[in-house]
Amino acid sequence: MAAFNVSEAKLRLYDYFRSSAAYRVRIALNLKGIPYTQQSVNLLAGEQDGLEYGAINPQGVVPSLEIAPGDYLYQSLAILEWIEERYPEPALLPADPLERARVRALAMVVACDIHPLNIVRVLRYLENELEVPADARSRWYTHWIQRGFHALETQLSAQGPFCRGAQLSLADVCLVPQVFNARRFEVPLDDFPRIVRSADHCNGLEPFARARPENQPDAR
């Protein structure tokens, strides 16, 4: 990784263009109009496992967010909560406590149940350590996304345009990257019209479009 000067920006996002977790954080920063710079951590090249990045994030994953010189946050949901509290407008969590809990639950279905079973290091372990064939890995990937999406579909608003109706929320921020991944790996989405509707609507908004993987400086 190239050395970085903390004076370049108040916030610096350690990022990888195809990381779903980093994608969530990019969306939130864009929605709130928060300036930040990006430092690519190439996951395919193993940069996350080096000593330099290990001093920043002991898990060796992205994203990490430097909020002050030498002060880092990691875990995307924790970063998103910090962003929401530090920069409350526009709000990504509803004012009503019950609705706020429901939005958080939707976000966690994606971030805690679906996504961890489909990340690079899990798929590589299946391939390299357990010698799972490619077709079986593909079935694994599809199974866990569709299982999670079936649960999400029943909880999304029938009216839209967002996950919970008229208000964009943290649920949308987490859903859009997961739909991107599902499409990238050709997971059938015919059974999830509400999910597709919400994701497609969000993708038409400039902050979401700017956060898309293909629009990142390290996109390959």
Side-chain angles (χ1 to χ4, degrees):
M1 292 188 299
F4 108 83
N5 181 351
V6 294
S7 66
E8 290 176 359
K10 184 177 181 181
L11 298 180
R12 169 154 292 214
L13 180 64
Y14 286 80
D15 194 4
Y16 182 64
F17 75 111
R18 279 187 180 157
S19 162
S20 295
Y23 190 173
R24 297 170 200 147
V25 175
R26 293 195 302 264
I27 292 170
L29 291 169
N30 293 346
L31 284 168
K32 291 177 179 285
I34 303 167
Y36 65 100
T37 60
Q38 293 165 267
Q39 176 71 54
S40 176
V41 181
N42 190 324
L43 302 185
L44 296 184
E47 289 183 351
Q48 71 276 18
D49 297 323
L51 293 177
E52 182 182 355
Y53 189 65
I56 292 168
N57 186 322
Q59 280 192 294
V61 298
V62 295
S64 299
L65 185 67
E66 185 169 35
I67 59 174
D71 191 3
Y72 305 98
L73 295 176
Y74 51 94
Q75 285 295 331
S76 64
L77 288 186
I79 293 171
L80 291 170
E81 291 277 358
W82 178 86
I83 290 171
E84 180 71 2
E85 293 175 5
R86 178 66 179 80
Y87 304 92
E89 298 297 333
L92 296 178
L93 288 170
D96 176 70
L98 181 57
E99 184 62 18
R100 193 183 311 137
R102 286 175 173 151
V103 165
R104 282 189 170 114
L106 293 175
M108 289 177 183
V109 169
V110 173
C112 301
D113 293 339
I114 301 174
H115 177 241
L117 292 166
N118 293 283
I119 56 179
V120 170
R121 66 179 184 271
V122 169
L123 297 177
R124 280 184 168 177
Y125 187 83
L126 291 174
E127 178 183 8
N128 298 328
E129 300 299 326
L130 301 183
E131 300 181 348
V132 175
D135 62 335
R137 295 198 308 274
S138 179
R139 292 197 304 271
W140 164 284
Y141 192 97
T142 297
H143 170 78
W144 292 114
I145 288 182
Q146 290 190 324
R147 179 164 180 167
F149 277 8
H150 277 294
L152 284 173
E153 181 74 13
T154 65
Q155 300 175 71
L156 266 56
S157 168
Q159 304 303 317
F162 300 110
C163 285
R164 294 297 295 173
Q167 182 182 354
L168 190 155
S169 73
L170 192 65
D172 301 284
V173 170
C174 290
L175 179 65
V176 165
Q178 193 64 64
V179 173
F180 174 89
N181 279 348
R183 285 171 164 159
R184 179 179 168 227
F185 287 97
E186 301 181 341
V187 176
L189 299 178
D190 295 343
D191 291 339
F192 314 114
R194 295 181 183 181
I195 287 174
V196 170
R197 176 211 65 205
S198 297
D200 286 350
H201 180 79
C202 288
N203 281 325
L205 304 177
E206 189 275 339
F208 283 85
R210 188 152 41 96
R212 286 180 64 83
E214 66 267 26
N215 293 330
Q216 304 316 301
D218 59 337
R220 295 174 177 82

